[in-house]
Amino acid sequence: MKCLHEDSAKKHKTRKFHPLRRQIAVLFIGLLLLSMIVITLINGLFLEHYYISRKTEVLREAVQNLESLDVVTDSDGNSSAEISDQIFKDCSENNLTWVMITADGQTICAVGSNEDLLEARLVGYIYDLDRKKGKEKVLQKYDSYVIQQVSDRFAGMEYVESWGELGNGCYFLIRTPLESIRESVAISNSFYFYVGLVIIALSGLMIWVVTKRITKPISELTRLSTKMSELDFDAKYIPVRHVSREIDELGNSMNELSETLEETISELKTANVSLQQDNEKKEQ
C-alpha cells in the first residue's frame, strides 16, 4: 500500500502540463485557424461575384452619365461631346474604358486606350458581326442596353461590359477588366495567410498566458482533491487573485470539507480504539 501511495504521489508530482489549459489553447487556436480558412474560401468563391455585382452598378451609373452628355454636330457634320472632369474621375477610379459613336460609325468621344478596338467591337455588336456572339453571359438586360460578362479573344482577357443605344440615337460600349479582381483575390488570400499565421502565433502565446491564470486555481483544487483522496488533510486551497468568486467559494468549501473529514476520521479512529479496548476487556 505504501508503494502504491508513493507511485501515485510521484505521478502527480511529475505532471507538468494541465490538460484543461491545453484544451482551451487548442480550441481558440483552432477557431482562429478555421476563421482564416473560411475567410480564404469566401474570398475565393464569392469575392469575384460580389465584385461583378458592384461593377454592374458602376456600369449602370456610367450609362446614365453618357445619357447626360450633350452631343454637338458642327456644319461639316462632325459630332462631338464635352466630357466632364467628374466622368474622367469616375472612369479612372473604376478602371472604365468606353467609346461612343453615331449610327453611321463616327466616333464622338472615348475614354481610355484601345479606342479602335472598342469601336470595332461595338460595330460588331451593332451589326451582329461577331461570330462568337452568344458566348457572353448576360448579367442585366434593359430596353436599350445590356450589361454582360464576356471573354475578349483579341485581348485575351475577360471583361464586364455594357453596350447599347442612347436616347440621342448614339451607340456606346463601356468595359472594365476582370483580371484585376482575380489578381486582387490571389493577393488578398496570400496576405490573409501570412497575417493569419502571425495572428495565430501571437494569439496562441496570449491564450497560453491567460489560460495559465484561469487554470491555476482549478489545478489547485485538483491538487487538493488528490491530497484528500490520500487522506492528507494538511493541504489547503489558497485563494488566487483575479479569479472568479465561484472558484474561491468552491475552494473554501473543499477546505471546510477537508477539515470535517479530518475531524470525522479522527473521531472514528478514537471510537475504533475505544471499541478495541472494550473487546479486549471482554475477552479477558
Side-chain angles (χ1 to χ4, degrees):
M1 292 295 291
K2 184 176 181 181
C3 293
L4 291 175
H5 177 74
E6 292 178 353
D7 292 341
S8 177
K10 288 181 180 179
K11 288 181 180 179
H12 288 295
K13 289 181 180 179
T14 56
R15 184 182 300 171
K16 298 181 180 180
F17 299 101
H18 307 297
L20 179 60
R21 185 181 179 187
R22 289 201 305 268
Q23 291 176 11
I24 295 175
V26 170
L27 176 62
F28 276 92
I29 293 174
L31 289 175
L32 289 174
L33 183 60
L34 179 62
S35 299
M36 187 178 70
I37 294 174
V38 170
I39 291 174
T40 302
L41 290 176
I42 291 175
N43 268 351
L45 296 176
F46 302 107
L47 185 57
E48 182 176 335
H49 298 286
Y50 176 75
Y51 174 84
I52 291 175
S53 65
R54 293 292 300 170
K55 283 300 182 182
T56 300
E57 296 298 321
V58 169
L59 290 176
R60 189 168 63 178
E61 293 177 2
V63 173
Q64 295 175 357
N65 291 333
L66 291 184
E67 286 280 8
S68 63
L69 291 179
D70 293 329
V71 179
V72 179
T73 304
D74 58 19
S75 58
D76 296 330
N78 297 322
S79 301
S80 62
E82 184 177 355
I83 304 174
S84 65
D85 294 336
Q86 183 62 41
I87 292 180
F88 276 114
K89 182 180 178 181
D90 292 340
C91 292
S92 177
E93 291 178 351
N94 297 296
N95 196 16
L96 298 178
T97 57
W98 56 268
V99 64
M100 184 167 65
I101 65 175
T102 60
D104 56 2
Q106 179 185 347
T107 301
I108 299 175
C109 55
V111 173
S113 58
N114 299 326
E115 176 184 335
D116 295 336
L117 181 61
L118 289 178
E119 184 177 345
R121 190 170 185 87
L122 178 56
V123 171
Y125 282 150
I126 296 172
Y127 297 102
D128 199 15
L129 301 177
D130 192 351
R131 296 179 180 178
K132 291 189 176 182
K133 189 175 181 181
K135 298 288 184 178
E136 66 275 359
K137 178 182 178 182
V138 177
L139 303 176
Q140 290 185 7
K141 190 172 184 180
Y142 301 93
D143 294 336
S144 59
Y145 68 95
V146 64
I147 300 177
Q148 59 192 14
Q149 179 181 343
V150 298
S151 177
D152 192 331
R153 61 183 182 277
F154 296 108
M157 295 176 62
E158 285 193 50
Y159 293 89
V160 177
E161 63 181 24
S162 176
W163 76 276
E165 184 178 1
L166 299 173
N168 55 14
C170 298
Y171 293 91
F172 71 91
L173 172 62
I174 312 172
R175 61 165 36 175
T176 181
L178 278 181
E179 292 300 322
S180 59
I181 184 57
R182 289 173 180 169
E183 184 180 358
S184 298
V185 170
I187 292 174
S188 64
N189 284 341
S190 177
F191 177 76
Y192 284 140
F193 175 76
Y194 292 112
V195 172
L197 291 180
V198 174
I199 292 176
I200 288 175
L202 295 177
S203 300
L205 181 61
M206 293 178 61
I207 290 170
W208 190 254
V209 173
V210 172
T211 52
K212 181 180 180 180
R213 298 176 60 182
I214 296 175
T215 58
K216 185 176 180 179
I218 300 176
S219 301
E220 287 293 319
L221 293 175
T222 303
R223 181 187 62 84
L224 178 59
S225 63
T226 302
K227 291 293 185 180
M228 290 174 61
S229 66
E230 297 170 355
L231 301 180
D232 181 3
F233 301 107
D234 293 331
K236 301 296 181 182
Y237 172 78
I238 301 175
V240 182
R241 295 179 60 186
H242 307 297
V243 298
S244 64
R245 182 181 299 177
E246 289 81 1
I247 293 180
D248 280 344
E249 290 180 356
L250 177 60
N252 293 329
S253 298
M254 291 189 68
N255 287 339
E256 294 176 1
L257 176 61
S258 177
E259 294 174 357
T260 302
L261 286 175
E262 185 178 10
E263 293 176 359
T264 302
I265 292 176
S266 178
E267 293 175 357
L268 287 175
K269 286 182 179 179
T270 302
N272 189 31
V273 171
S274 177
L275 181 61
Q276 288 180 352
Q277 293 176 350
D278 292 340
N279 288 336
E280 289 177 356
K281 290 180 180 180
K282 288 181 179 179
E283 289 177 357
Q284 290 176 357

